[in-house]
Amino acid sequence: MSGKLDEEIKRWTVRRKSVLVMDIIQGKTTIREASQAFDLPASEIEHWVAEGKRGLENALRVNPLDVKEQYERQIKELQQAYGEAMLELRGKKKQQVSAPDEEAR
């Protein structure tokens, strides 16, 4: 791993996270190795890597979105997915309620 991360880390600053994420992206270490070395949950490191890739992708856009726009877009997508899931759930409940009535006939 990078020499910048060899000392004992008491607090994970943005700079330290970015160094670790770059080490993972460049293949210098793996999420599993970093998880074991720094006693961190692999899921947390995976989240850092995903956020780093998302930020990198945004930075390379012709017209990068600001953070507020990114979060607003995420919220809109999540609200849409939630609405679709609720409609599907309501449809299944209606089928369950009407199914016993049809069987009784």
Side-chain angles (χ1 to χ4, degrees), residues 20-105:
L20 179 59
V21 167
M22 286 305 298
D23 282 353
I24 291 168
I25 290 172
Q26 293 173 348
K28 294 178 182 177
T29 189
T30 65
I31 292 173
R32 183 177 179 188
E33 290 170 346
S35 174
Q36 292 171 349
F38 298 110
D39 194 30
L40 292 168
S43 61
E44 185 171 4
I45 298 171
E46 288 169 352
H47 176 74
W48 295 348
V49 171
E51 288 296 313
K53 288 179 180 178
R54 187 174 307 133
L56 179 62
E57 180 181 312
N58 183 51
L60 295 173
R61 290 177 185 262
V62 173
N63 296 314
L65 302 171
D66 69 14
V67 174
K68 182 179 178 185
E69 286 178 272
Q70 285 180 323
Y71 284 122
E72 286 174 351
R73 180 180 283 177
Q74 279 182 315
I75 288 170
K76 186 176 180 179
E77 290 171 359
L78 289 171
Q79 286 173 334
Q80 183 178 359
Y82 176 78
E84 291 170 1
M86 289 303 296
L87 287 173
E88 185 177 326
L89 183 62
R90 286 181 183 150
K92 287 182 179 181
K93 283 184 179 180
K94 284 183 181 179
Q95 285 178 340
Q96 290 174 348
V97 169
S98 64
D101 292 341
E102 292 174 3
E103 290 175 5
R105 292 181 192 170

Side-chain angles (χ1 to χ4, degrees), residues 6-17:
D6 288 340
E7 77 273 3
E8 184 180 339
I9 296 175
K10 295 178 183 170
R11 187 169 156 263
W12 280 92
T13 62
V14 172
R15 179 71 185 137
R16 287 186 178 123
K17 289 178 188 179

